[in-house]
Amino acid sequence: MNMLENDDLVSLITDLVLKELKSGEIQVNKVPVSISARHIHLSKEHLEALFGADHKLTKVKDISQPGQFAAEEKVTLVGSKGKIENVRVLGPLRKETQVEISITDSRALGIKPVISESGNLEGTPGITIIGPKGTINIDKGCLVAERHIHMTSHDAKVFGVIDGQKVNVKAEGHRGGVFMNVVIRVREDYALDMHIDVDEANAFDISNGDMLEILK
């Protein structure tokens, strides 16, 4: 193969890569996004208090993270100013009950919004939860989830980030912008996925499955 043929080959490969980038077949430093509507994770104790002794969650469908699912069961949230009905329970059960809402929800309920990582319930407000068989009052556990990206250690190496790191993420489009302070969460059983709530998605005109760019 002569030099001209080599140059032609490089040019051909470059053209192919550019076409793939434009078509979205190759996503450079991008992650898919999932929009989290308000929901609740229940402990076994609270599940039984709300739905009856020995009650088991009824799976409706899998959600973005492996092993997690949307259940048929729903509850009503009650705050000092109002209530929100038909809040979906997600499975599996957890050690502690956790309610995840948006800032808009918190204002409708009359609850001070506290932004926190999922699982970190310290300093979060409580709420009243009503089920078909009972009512409970939790003194903490109602939060606005901090925006975050799930990934495996391999993903983290590819993106050049580490667990707990905060990055900026860019959304394209007419109402696009930059999400700041997005937490990287690394675990081997995670699927690559960025989670934002409904308020954030509406503000940036984002849909489930959109690809957003990690800026770091």
Side-chain angles (χ1 to χ4, degrees), residues 131-167:
K133 296 292 181 67
T135 298
I136 61 173
N137 295 287
I138 57 174
D139 57 10
K140 64 178 180 179
C142 186
L143 58 87
V144 177
E146 190 156 27
R147 55 180 76 123
H148 57 278
I149 301 173
H150 293 283
M151 61 175 64
T152 64
S153 58
H154 173 73
D155 294 327
K157 188 174 295 185
V158 169
F159 285 103
V161 295
I162 60 173
D163 184 49
Q165 181 178 345
K166 291 189 176 182
V167 297

Side-chain angles (χ1 to χ4, degrees), residues 146-147 166-169 178-183 200 204:
E146 190 156 27
R147 55 180 76 123
K166 291 189 176 182
V167 297
N168 295 337
V169 178
V178 176
F179 290 98
M180 301 180 68
N181 300 314
V182 182
V183 180
E200 295 170 312
F204 286 77

Side-chain angles (χ1 to χ4, degrees), residues 32 34 41 59 61-70 90-94 148-152 155 185-195:
S34 290
H41 303 275
K59 180 178 174 180
K61 65 177 181 178
D62 292 319
I63 54 178
S64 62
Q65 290 305 305
Q68 298 189 22
F69 60 90
L90 299 189
L93 298 178
R94 293 194 176 184
H148 57 278
I149 301 173
H150 293 283
M151 61 175 64
T152 64
D155 294 327
R185 301 180 63 182
V186 178
R187 209 167 74 188
E188 295 313 307
D189 59 345
Y190 281 157
L192 184 63
D193 202 24
M194 176 173 168
H195 284 188

